[in-house]
Amino acid sequence: MGSHDEDGVARRGFDVADAAPLLLDARGVVTSWTRDAERLLGYAGDEAVGKDLAGLLTPGDAGRVPDVLERCRRDGGWAGLLSARRKDQEPVPVMARITSADEPGGPARWLALLNEIGDAPGWSMNRSVLEQMVDGAPVGIAVVDTDLRFVWSNAALSRFGGGPPERRLGLRLADVQPGFDARAVEAQMRHVLDTGEPVLGYEHVGRLRAAPHRETAHMLSFTRLDDEHGHPMGVYYTVVDITDRHRARQRLALLDRAGRHIGRGLDIGRTAQELAEVAVPGFADAVAVDLLEAVFRGAEPGARQPARPGGSVALRRAGRRPGGACGEQGGSAAGAAGGEVVVYRGDSPPVRVLASGQPWSVERLMDEDGAWGPALPAVAGDAGPPSVLVVPVRARGATLGVATFLRRGTQEPFGEDDVALAEDLVSRAAVCVDNARRYTRERDAALALQRNLLPHRLPGQDAVEAAACYRPADELTGLGGDWYDLIPLSGARVALVVGEAPGHGIDAAAAMGRLRTAVRTLAALDLPPEEVLARLDDLVGSRAHEDGDDADADDGGGAQTVGAGCLYVVYDPVDGRCAMAAAGHPAPALVGADGRVTFADLPQGPPLGVGGPPFEAAVLELPEDTTLALHTDGLMARHGERWALDTDRTRLRQALAVRAASLDLSCRTVIDALVPDRPHDDVALLMARTRRLPADRVAVWELPADPAAVADARKAATRRLADWGLEELSFTTELVVSELVTNAIRYAVGPIRLRLIRGRALVCEVHDGGATAPHLRHPRTTDEGGRGLLLVSQVTRRWGTRFVPEGKIIWAEQSLTSPDV
């Protein structure tokens, strides 16, 4: 890199080919003049030769000449902005570059190049200015040649290790940073040299020579440097320390994994083992989770566990995870077997943590007095004294045990951030352990869970008027898994669901929660009722298979949902069609507007997860004001007996025939008439009175598969919105109609139909004969298409696709109320 060539800086502001040259002697007097200089400043040669450089500048810059000449003698040259003065006294801003023109044995001379910059932006900076900028930057900067050897680096790069800039010269990255993955980094450099494409944001994680015990992360960016002919000269790259950001991501990932893997069951040993498995190897090299014996018995431990001076404390090792393959087997076995008893001395750190409830850590453990004894978990490999962190397992103010984390001597010792992270991990596991401990004692928590898993209120919609009633079993041990739900669907439709998980107690309640969540997830896919039950059946069966339990098991796993019943009904208020399917569940009762009670002729499918013939759906057309009564089998059971079809249907028909002032009152009346105050089984009843959308709130257009039809569809939709008094939605609706109809014409087959539905929301539907669902894309800035559905998703409340026998319907929904309503 030259000392006065400015390394090509501001070449766009200084073109040598257009510069006016002139020669100056050592004192700055003009000794040679050119036609270009005469054309620029207006002086003839005899007028300019012998004139001092200061005489060619405006008074404001004339005083800078001595300083400029001094810097030329010191630095070998100078470049910058000057204000020259023409012969007619008009100022001329010029970019000036002065460089040595000495000849061997001759007097000192300077070649000055003047270039009128006019409106050209920028400032040609010399090397000293540039080096001030890069040397003072907090970012590490370096330049390597085409052989990837250092030719320049700033002082900030030294903070990342590898020595000062002068020590790097001529060396490659592997020579100065053995801890770096030099092969991968140099591969990025060669890619930049070969292609000229910059590489931005390349992340490297590893251990550097400057900090061998500490994992660091750096972000590197590479740019090729070319000469004036476009030939590569080397690579310019920057380095930024992102260790804190990397560690924050690691912590979040660890906490996310803990949230997904800790507490998947209600077994104390399994939860403790999950904590150990989550922490190794991402956080520690070995983990032991030791709990008080009282925890396994379900007893209430004291808020503090005092340690007797000179005595010992026995804990049960509920989970452990030594490093290495052998440790994995040992850890899993220990957790599964319930753990062996470990004994700690009264003055050992785990006992002090147990008593104080505060964490304890040491950078390198030197257990010279044997305070830990054999209870200290083993760390794979012989790497010197480990770093140890002990965290209390506390939940709801009580200390249940301790968790011990170890890192081998080659790892970075535990710090304050690690203590906070470990406390968060352990607190998650502690809550799960305490939940399992309290399981047999706090049956009222199971009842609260059952109630909380049921809908707190039924959502508003246009399809039906709905009411629900749930009555829990009297015996807490008989608490079951009955549930009901009402789910708004696309196109103003609604799904009505009742179901029952087998078994009793908290397992049944948890299974009910899983089933209800699965049903809501499947309902969002807009599947037909028989397909919803088929997929739900697959989920239940696969979960039971994964857990390795049989259908009679009652452990809260997949087997708890095997044999569950479910009734799924979809009602469309536009045409009054009602489709329903059942899996081991009684058919709904139908109460006409005249009070006549009938029962749907519904094919019975097998209970969920047990296998059998495929599910079948029944499709009815219901008149307006028809009431559907969906219920669990407890509604018609007497004295703990299962429902008898003929007799109990008669009782239900009589109860439903009683008129009441409201649907809510009807619901409670039926429950009171058929269910005792202290039922043996819990009961759920969902009643829904059908409505029909008026014809003037639905608009349908058949469209040809012609791009010209898009404009007509927009106009028709706009006119209908005006009729409905919804002009404020015209712009968004035009956009939605345009995108959906265009996609149908472009990608689908068969007839195209546009439908607008005005209910609680404005629904736009486009029906076509295609069988493939569209996918939302996130196009790049340079992409010319692919933004249609992205725009629709941004301007509407929700959108989706549902399949029908004739093809599919793509729909989008806009709210008719303001966000603050």
Side-chain angles (χ1 to χ4, degrees):
M1 301 174 65
S3 61
H4 56 271
D5 186 54
E6 300 306 308
D7 306 320
V9 176
R11 287 185 178 178
R12 285 180 296 179
F14 195 102
D15 190 343
V16 176
D18 295 334
L22 59 149
L23 286 176
L24 307 173
D25 64 12
R27 297 173 299 152
V29 176
V30 177
T31 60
S32 178
W33 194 253
T34 63
R35 290 183 179 180
D36 291 331
E38 181 178 350
R39 188 164 47 250
L40 177 65
L41 298 181
Y43 293 99
D46 56 352
E47 295 175 318
V49 174
K51 185 182 287 288
D52 188 273
L53 177 63
L56 300 176
L57 304 178
T58 59
D61 277 358
R64 298 174 56 193
V65 172
D67 179 63
V68 169
L69 294 177
E70 175 60 29
R71 293 180 63 182
C72 287
R73 287 188 286 270
R74 184 184 68 221
D75 300 334
W78 178 88
L81 293 174
L82 291 175
S83 180
R85 183 173 55 182
R86 297 181 186 271
K87 182 178 179 180
D88 58 7
Q89 304 303 309
E90 287 293 325
V92 181
V94 297
M95 177 71 74
R97 178 170 293 178
I98 303 176
T99 185
S100 174
D102 295 348
E103 295 182 356
R109 295 191 305 172
W110 302 100
L111 172 64
L113 301 173
L114 306 180
N115 194 337
E116 183 177 5
I117 62 175
D119 296 331
W123 175 29
S124 180
M125 295 177 286
N126 59 26
R127 175 169 179 159
S128 63
V129 174
L130 291 173
E131 289 192 344
Q132 290 179 49
M133 293 170 56
V134 296
D135 281 342
V139 178
I141 306 174
V143 178
V144 297
D145 60 16
T146 54
D147 293 326
L148 306 186
R149 298 185 180 277
F150 286 96
V151 297
W152 180 89
S153 62
N154 68 345
L157 194 65
S158 304
R159 294 199 302 268
F160 303 102
E166 58 271 13
R167 190 181 300 172
R168 295 174 179 266
L169 294 177
L171 301 179
R172 292 176 63 161
L173 184 60
D175 300 325
V176 298
Q177 288 286 25
F180 248 63
D181 186 359
R183 180 177 300 178
V185 175
E186 289 188 349
Q188 299 295 323
M189 295 182 184
R190 294 200 181 280
H191 173 77
V192 173
L193 280 173
D194 294 340
T195 65
E197 299 175 355
V199 174
L200 307 177
Y202 174 78
E203 292 191 16
H204 173 273
V205 179
R207 300 176 188 275
L208 305 181
R209 177 190 292 174
H213 295 288
R214 183 172 183 264
E215 185 179 71
T216 57
H218 300 88
M219 180 179 289
L220 297 89
S221 296
F222 307 90
T223 305
R224 191 173 78 179
L225 297 176
D226 298 336
D227 60 18
E228 60 271 14
H229 302 294
H231 300 145
M233 301 167 52
V235 175
Y236 158 86
Y237 75 88
T238 59
V239 184
V240 179
D241 191 334
I242 59 168
T243 301
D244 291 341
R245 188 194 314 172
H246 172 71
R247 291 190 171 189
R249 287 203 303 259
Q250 284 184 316
R251 293 187 182 99
L252 290 175
L254 185 62
L255 291 175
D256 177 69
R257 185 165 178 252
R260 289 184 287 110
H261 292 279
I262 296 178
R264 290 177 290 180
L266 290 170
D267 179 81
I268 294 174
R270 180 176 178 180
T271 302
Q273 183 62 29
E274 288 167 349
L275 168 62
E277 292 176 351
V278 165
V280 177
F283 180 72
D285 295 311
V287 177
V289 182
D290 303 322
L291 302 177
L292 294 168
E293 185 67 34
V295 174
F296 289 91
R297 299 195 306 266
E300 189 76 29
R304 295 180 183 271
Q305 180 70 22
R308 295 170 295 177
S312 60
V313 174
L315 301 176
R316 184 173 293 277
R317 182 143 295 172
R320 71 179 182 191
R321 186 68 186 272
C326 295
E328 290 181 7
Q329 291 182 351
S332 297
E340 71 276 13
V341 175
V342 294
V343 180
Y344 290 104
R345 273 175 31 181
D347 58 347
S348 63
V351 174
R352 293 201 300 269
V353 170
L354 197 65
S356 66
Q358 298 298 319
W360 174 92
S361 65
V362 62
E363 287 193 3
R364 299 298 173 210
L365 177 65
M366 309 296 292
D367 191 24
E368 297 175 350
D369 60 352
W372 289 76
L376 183 67
V379 181
D382 184 11
S387 178
V388 182
L389 169 62
V390 185
V391 177
V393 180
R394 289 180 57 83
R396 300 178 179 91
T399 302
L400 310 177
V402 294
T404 304
F405 303 87
L406 292 90
R407 285 179 182 169
R408 60 172 61 96
T410 56
Q411 301 285 353
E412 182 180 6
F414 291 107
E416 293 183 3
D417 291 343
D418 296 317
V419 174
L421 179 57
E423 287 183 306
D424 199 349
L425 283 175
V426 173
S427 67
R428 292 170 184 250
V431 171
C432 298
V433 169
D434 196 51
N435 284 341
R437 178 186 63 81
R438 297 159 67 97
Y439 168 60
T440 57
R441 301 186 57 204
E442 301 186 18
R443 299 295 185 182
D444 56 336
L447 180 60
L449 174 64
Q450 173 77 315
R451 286 176 174 166
N452 288 332
L453 287 175
L454 292 172
H456 296 289
R457 62 181 180 85
L458 297 177
Q461 33 70 46
D462 294 307
V464 296
E465 175 191 356
C469 189
Y470 171 78
R471 179 165 293 181
D474 176 68
E475 297 291 336
L476 293 178
T477 55
L479 180 68
D482 290 13
W483 93 93
Y484 62 88
D485 211 347
L486 186 149
I487 309 170
L489 302 177
S490 63
R493 299 169 306 131
V494 67
L496 307 170
V497 192
V498 292
E500 180 175 9
H504 299 88
I506 197 169
D507 282 343
M512 176 269 283
R514 287 194 297 271
L515 288 172
R516 179 170 178 253
T517 301
V519 168
R520 293 190 70 89
T521 302
L522 293 171
L525 301 178
D526 264 335
L527 301 172
E530 68 274 20
E531 183 67 20
V532 170
L533 294 185
R535 296 201 181 189
L536 189 63
D537 180 73
D538 289 340
L539 288 174
V540 172
S542 61
R543 175 65 187 272
H545 178 72
E546 291 171 1
D547 289 349
D549 298 320
D550 57 41
D552 295 327
D554 191 13
D555 62 352
Q560 184 64 32
T561 55
V562 172
C566 183
L567 173 64
Y568 190 87
V569 179
V570 175
Y571 174 70
D572 190 343
V574 175
D575 55 13
R577 285 167 58 88
C578 181
M580 61 184 71
H585 205 87
L590 306 176
V591 184
D594 58 357
R596 182 171 175 266
V597 180
T598 59
F599 291 88
D601 185 11
L602 178 62
Q604 273 296 319
L608 298 173
V610 301
F615 299 98
E616 297 181 47
V619 179
L620 312 174
E621 184 169 343
L622 299 181
E624 190 170 9
D625 290 333
T626 299
T627 300
L628 293 94
L630 293 74
H631 59 88
T632 56
D633 58 5
L635 183 67
M636 297 191 293
R638 289 178 294 175
H639 307 293
E641 298 176 359
R642 299 289 291 179
W643 49 282
L645 187 60
D646 294 333
T647 304
D648 292 326
R649 276 190 171 182
T650 300
R651 297 175 58 238
L652 179 58
R653 184 180 287 109
Q654 293 171 350
L656 289 171
V658 177
R659 291 284 185 173
S662 67
L663 201 60
D664 281 324
L665 186 56
S666 293
C667 207
R668 289 195 296 270
T669 300
V670 172
I671 290 287
D672 291 339
L674 299 179
V675 181
D677 293 335
R678 297 174 176 269
H680 176 77
D681 195 8
D682 50 355
V683 178
L685 172 63
L686 174 63
M687 299 181 70
R689 183 172 296 148
T690 62
R691 298 169 176 158
R692 286 287 187 96
L693 284 180
D696 59 357
R697 294 172 64 180
V698 180
V700 182
W701 297 274
E702 300 291 337
L703 304 176
D706 182 357
V710 177
D712 295 335
R714 288 198 302 264
K715 293 176 182 178
T718 302
R719 288 193 298 268
R720 181 51 58 99
L721 291 183
D723 294 340
W724 287 341
L726 300 176
E727 292 87 350
E728 68 275 14
L729 299 181
S730 295
F731 177 78
T732 303
T733 304
E734 284 186 18
L735 174 62
V736 172
V737 169
S738 179
E739 294 298 339
L740 298 187
V741 173
T742 300
N743 282 349
I745 294 174
R746 182 177 300 172
Y747 301 112
V749 296
I752 299 173
R753 184 169 61 252
L754 170 65
R755 184 168 75 163
L756 293 182
I757 302 174
R758 180 192 175 187
R760 289 176 179 258
L762 177 64
V763 180
C764 175
E765 296 182 342
V766 174
H767 174 278
D768 61 59
T772 58
H775 297 285
L776 186 67
R777 293 176 53 193
H778 295 275
R780 297 170 297 181
T781 305
T782 55
D783 289 348
E784 296 182 358
R787 295 175 175 83
L789 288 180
L790 180 61
L791 289 174
V792 171
S793 68
Q794 295 296 315
V795 301
T796 59
R797 183 168 66 180
R798 59 179 186 149
W799 73 280
T801 304
R802 72 175 183 268
F803 289 92
V804 294
E806 303 81 16
K808 68 175 182 296
I809 295 174
I810 307 176
W811 56 270
E813 186 176 292
Q814 301 177 64
S815 175
L816 296 183
T817 58
S818 59
D820 56 348
V821 173

PDB file of all heavy atoms in Angstrom, residues 726-742:
ATOM      1  N   LEU A 726     -70.413  -0.962   3.373  1.00  0.00           N
ATOM      2  CA  LEU A 726     -69.044  -1.293   3.809  1.00  0.00           C
ATOM      3  C   LEU A 726     -68.025  -0.709   2.852  1.00  0.00           C
ATOM      4  O   LEU A 726     -67.023  -1.345   2.502  1.00  0.00           O
ATOM      5  CB  LEU A 726     -68.863  -2.814   3.905  1.00  0.00           C
ATOM      6  CG  LEU A 726     -69.784  -3.555   4.872  1.00  0.00           C
ATOM      7  CD1 LEU A 726     -69.546  -5.060   4.780  1.00  0.00           C
ATOM      8  CD2 LEU A 726     -69.545  -3.072   6.305  1.00  0.00           C
ATOM      9  N   GLU A 727     -68.254   0.530   2.420  1.00  0.00           N
ATOM     10  CA  GLU A 727     -67.340   1.136   1.453  1.00  0.00           C
ATOM     11  C   GLU A 727     -65.911   1.238   1.990  1.00  0.00           C
ATOM     12  O   GLU A 727     -64.950   1.215   1.212  1.00  0.00           O
ATOM     13  CB  GLU A 727     -67.837   2.542   1.062  1.00  0.00           C
ATOM     14  CG  GLU A 727     -69.118   2.561   0.263  1.00  0.00           C
ATOM     15  CD  GLU A 727     -70.354   2.574   1.161  1.00  0.00           C
ATOM     16  OE1 GLU A 727     -70.184   2.382   2.387  1.00  0.00           O
ATOM     17  OE2 GLU A 727     -71.460   2.791   0.646  1.00  0.00           O
ATOM     18  N   GLU A 728     -65.755   1.364   3.322  1.00  0.00           N
ATOM     19  CA  GLU A 728     -64.406   1.504   3.863  1.00  0.00           C
ATOM     20  C   GLU A 728     -63.551   0.253   3.661  1.00  0.00           C
ATOM     21  O   GLU A 728     -62.320   0.309   3.773  1.00  0.00           O
ATOM     22  CB  GLU A 728     -64.455   1.842   5.361  1.00  0.00           C
ATOM     23  CG  GLU A 728     -64.984   0.727   6.256  1.00  0.00           C
ATOM     24  CD  GLU A 728     -66.505   0.714   6.353  1.00  0.00           C
ATOM     25  OE1 GLU A 728     -67.143   1.385   5.525  1.00  0.00           O
ATOM     26  OE2 GLU A 728     -67.032   0.038   7.257  1.00  0.00           O
ATOM     27  N   LEU A 729     -64.193  -0.861   3.345  1.00  0.00           N
ATOM     28  CA  LEU A 729     -63.441  -2.094   3.101  1.00  0.00           C
ATOM     29  C   LEU A 729     -63.207  -2.344   1.614  1.00  0.00           C
ATOM     30  O   LEU A 729     -62.685  -3.403   1.244  1.00  0.00           O
ATOM     31  CB  LEU A 729     -64.182  -3.292   3.699  1.00  0.00           C
ATOM     32  CG  LEU A 729     -64.406  -3.276   5.211  1.00  0.00           C
ATOM     33  CD1 LEU A 729     -65.136  -4.543   5.642  1.00  0.00           C
ATOM     34  CD2 LEU A 729     -63.074  -3.157   5.956  1.00  0.00           C
ATOM     35  N   SER A 730     -63.585  -1.386   0.778  1.00  0.00           N
ATOM     36  CA  SER A 730     -63.512  -1.621  -0.662  1.00  0.00           C
ATOM     37  C   SER A 730     -62.079  -1.838  -1.132  1.00  0.00           C
ATOM     38  O   SER A 730     -61.800  -2.748  -1.915  1.00  0.00           O
ATOM     39  CB  SER A 730     -64.130  -0.437  -1.421  1.00  0.00           C
ATOM     40  OG  SER A 730     -65.505  -0.340  -1.144  1.00  0.00           O
ATOM     41  N   PHE A 731     -61.156  -0.998  -0.668  1.00  0.00           N
ATOM     42  CA  PHE A 731     -59.778  -1.117  -1.163  1.00  0.00           C
ATOM     43  C   PHE A 731     -59.188  -2.479  -0.812  1.00  0.00           C
ATOM     44  O   PHE A 731     -58.620  -3.169  -1.670  1.00  0.00           O
ATOM     45  CB  PHE A 731     -58.914  -0.004  -0.568  1.00  0.00           C
ATOM     46  CG  PHE A 731     -57.464  -0.101  -0.960  1.00  0.00           C
ATOM     47  CD1 PHE A 731     -57.032   0.312  -2.207  1.00  0.00           C
ATOM     48  CD2 PHE A 731     -56.537  -0.643  -0.081  1.00  0.00           C
ATOM     49  CE1 PHE A 731     -55.697   0.208  -2.573  1.00  0.00           C
ATOM     50  CE2 PHE A 731     -55.202  -0.755  -0.435  1.00  0.00           C
ATOM     51  CZ  PHE A 731     -54.782  -0.322  -1.693  1.00  0.00           C
ATOM     52  N   THR A 732     -59.336  -2.869   0.466  1.00  0.00           N
ATOM     53  CA  THR A 732     -58.781  -4.164   0.880  1.00  0.00           C
ATOM     54  C   THR A 732     -59.467  -5.305   0.148  1.00  0.00           C
ATOM     55  O   THR A 732     -58.814  -6.262  -0.292  1.00  0.00           O
ATOM     56  CB  THR A 732     -58.931  -4.327   2.398  1.00  0.00           C
ATOM     57  OG1 THR A 732     -58.283  -3.240   3.058  1.00  0.00           O
ATOM     58  CG2 THR A 732     -58.315  -5.635   2.861  1.00  0.00           C
ATOM     59  N   THR A 733     -60.779  -5.216   0.010  1.00  0.00           N
ATOM     60  CA  THR A 733     -61.519  -6.298  -0.650  1.00  0.00           C
ATOM     61  C   THR A 733     -61.128  -6.405  -2.112  1.00  0.00           C
ATOM     62  O   THR A 733     -60.990  -7.519  -2.649  1.00  0.00           O
ATOM     63  CB  THR A 733     -63.023  -6.059  -0.519  1.00  0.00           C
ATOM     64  OG1 THR A 733     -63.359  -5.917   0.882  1.00  0.00           O
ATOM     65  CG2 THR A 733     -63.808  -7.216  -1.099  1.00  0.00           C
ATOM     66  N   GLU A 734     -60.944  -5.272  -2.780  1.00  0.00           N
ATOM     67  CA  GLU A 734     -60.499  -5.324  -4.170  1.00  0.00           C
ATOM     68  C   GLU A 734     -59.151  -6.026  -4.283  1.00  0.00           C
ATOM     69  O   GLU A 734     -58.936  -6.830  -5.196  1.00  0.00           O
ATOM     70  CB  GLU A 734     -60.385  -3.907  -4.744  1.00  0.00           C
ATOM     71  CG  GLU A 734     -61.721  -3.279  -5.082  1.00  0.00           C
ATOM     72  CD  GLU A 734     -61.549  -1.942  -5.784  1.00  0.00           C
ATOM     73  OE1 GLU A 734     -60.446  -1.672  -6.299  1.00  0.00           O
ATOM     74  OE2 GLU A 734     -62.505  -1.178  -5.828  1.00  0.00           O
ATOM     75  N   LEU A 735     -58.252  -5.710  -3.349  1.00  0.00           N
ATOM     76  CA  LEU A 735     -56.942  -6.364  -3.371  1.00  0.00           C
ATOM     77  C   LEU A 735     -57.078  -7.870  -3.164  1.00  0.00           C
ATOM     78  O   LEU A 735     -56.474  -8.675  -3.891  1.00  0.00           O
ATOM     79  CB  LEU A 735     -56.048  -5.765  -2.280  1.00  0.00           C
ATOM     80  CG  LEU A 735     -54.692  -6.431  -2.068  1.00  0.00           C
ATOM     81  CD1 LEU A 735     -53.840  -6.333  -3.320  1.00  0.00           C
ATOM     82  CD2 LEU A 735     -53.970  -5.799  -0.870  1.00  0.00           C
ATOM     83  N   VAL A 736     -57.895  -8.274  -2.172  1.00  0.00           N
ATOM     84  CA  VAL A 736     -58.063  -9.696  -1.889  1.00  0.00           C
ATOM     85  C   VAL A 736     -58.705 -10.411  -3.079  1.00  0.00           C
ATOM     86  O   VAL A 736     -58.248 -11.482  -3.513  1.00  0.00           O
ATOM     87  CB  VAL A 736     -58.907  -9.886  -0.618  1.00  0.00           C
ATOM     88  CG1 VAL A 736     -59.249 -11.362  -0.411  1.00  0.00           C
ATOM     89  CG2 VAL A 736     -58.163  -9.349   0.602  1.00  0.00           C
ATOM     90  N   VAL A 737     -59.765  -9.834  -3.625  1.00  0.00           N
ATOM     91  CA  VAL A 737     -60.445 -10.447  -4.772  1.00  0.00           C
ATOM     92  C   VAL A 737     -59.485 -10.570  -5.944  1.00  0.00           C
ATOM     93  O   VAL A 737     -59.410 -11.611  -6.617  1.00  0.00           O
ATOM     94  CB  VAL A 737     -61.689  -9.621  -5.148  1.00  0.00           C
ATOM     95  CG1 VAL A 737     -62.248 -10.082  -6.493  1.00  0.00           C
ATOM     96  CG2 VAL A 737     -62.746  -9.751  -4.061  1.00  0.00           C
ATOM     97  N   SER A 738     -58.738  -9.503  -6.195  1.00  0.00           N
ATOM     98  CA  SER A 738     -57.816  -9.522  -7.326  1.00  0.00           C
ATOM     99  C   SER A 738     -56.785 -10.625  -7.184  1.00  0.00           C
ATOM    100  O   SER A 738     -56.535 -11.388  -8.127  1.00  0.00           O
ATOM    101  CB  SER A 738     -57.125  -8.161  -7.446  1.00  0.00           C
ATOM    102  OG  SER A 738     -56.211  -8.162  -8.520  1.00  0.00           O
ATOM    103  N   GLU A 739     -56.185 -10.747  -6.013  1.00  0.00           N
ATOM    104  CA  GLU A 739     -55.125 -11.741  -5.816  1.00  0.00           C
ATOM    105  C   GLU A 739     -55.687 -13.158  -5.865  1.00  0.00           C
ATOM    106  O   GLU A 739     -55.097 -14.047  -6.496  1.00  0.00           O
ATOM    107  CB  GLU A 739     -54.418 -11.492  -4.482  1.00  0.00           C
ATOM    108  CG  GLU A 739     -53.645 -10.187  -4.400  1.00  0.00           C
ATOM    109  CD  GLU A 739     -52.510 -10.102  -5.406  1.00  0.00           C
ATOM    110  OE1 GLU A 739     -52.053 -11.159  -5.889  1.00  0.00           O
ATOM    111  OE2 GLU A 739     -52.098  -8.980  -5.739  1.00  0.00           O
ATOM    112  N   LEU A 740     -56.806 -13.399  -5.190  1.00  0.00           N
ATOM    113  CA  LEU A 740     -57.335 -14.759  -5.134  1.00  0.00           C
ATOM    114  C   LEU A 740     -57.882 -15.209  -6.479  1.00  0.00           C
ATOM    115  O   LEU A 740     -57.666 -16.356  -6.902  1.00  0.00           O
ATOM    116  CB  LEU A 740     -58.408 -14.859  -4.048  1.00  0.00           C
ATOM    117  CG  LEU A 740     -57.949 -14.584  -2.603  1.00  0.00           C
ATOM    118  CD1 LEU A 740     -59.067 -14.890  -1.625  1.00  0.00           C
ATOM    119  CD2 LEU A 740     -56.703 -15.379  -2.251  1.00  0.00           C
ATOM    120  N   VAL A 741     -58.591 -14.345  -7.158  1.00  0.00           N
ATOM    121  CA  VAL A 741     -59.140 -14.719  -8.463  1.00  0.00           C
ATOM    122  C   VAL A 741     -58.012 -14.894  -9.482  1.00  0.00           C
ATOM    123  O   VAL A 741     -58.028 -15.819 -10.297  1.00  0.00           O
ATOM    124  CB  VAL A 741     -60.160 -13.668  -8.934  1.00  0.00           C
ATOM    125  CG1 VAL A 741     -60.616 -13.964 -10.365  1.00  0.00           C
ATOM    126  CG2 VAL A 741     -61.367 -13.657  -7.998  1.00  0.00           C
ATOM    127  N   THR A 742     -57.020 -14.007  -9.434  1.00  0.00           N
ATOM    128  CA  THR A 742     -55.885 -14.137 -10.348  1.00  0.00           C
ATOM    129  C   THR A 742     -55.165 -15.455 -10.140  1.00  0.00           C
ATOM    130  O   THR A 742     -54.807 -16.152 -11.104  1.00  0.00           O
ATOM    131  CB  THR A 742     -54.909 -12.966 -10.151  1.00  0.00           C
ATOM    132  OG1 THR A 742     -55.586 -11.742 -10.427  1.00  0.00           O
ATOM    133  CG2 THR A 742     -53.716 -13.100 -11.085  1.00  0.00           C
TER     134      THR A 742
END
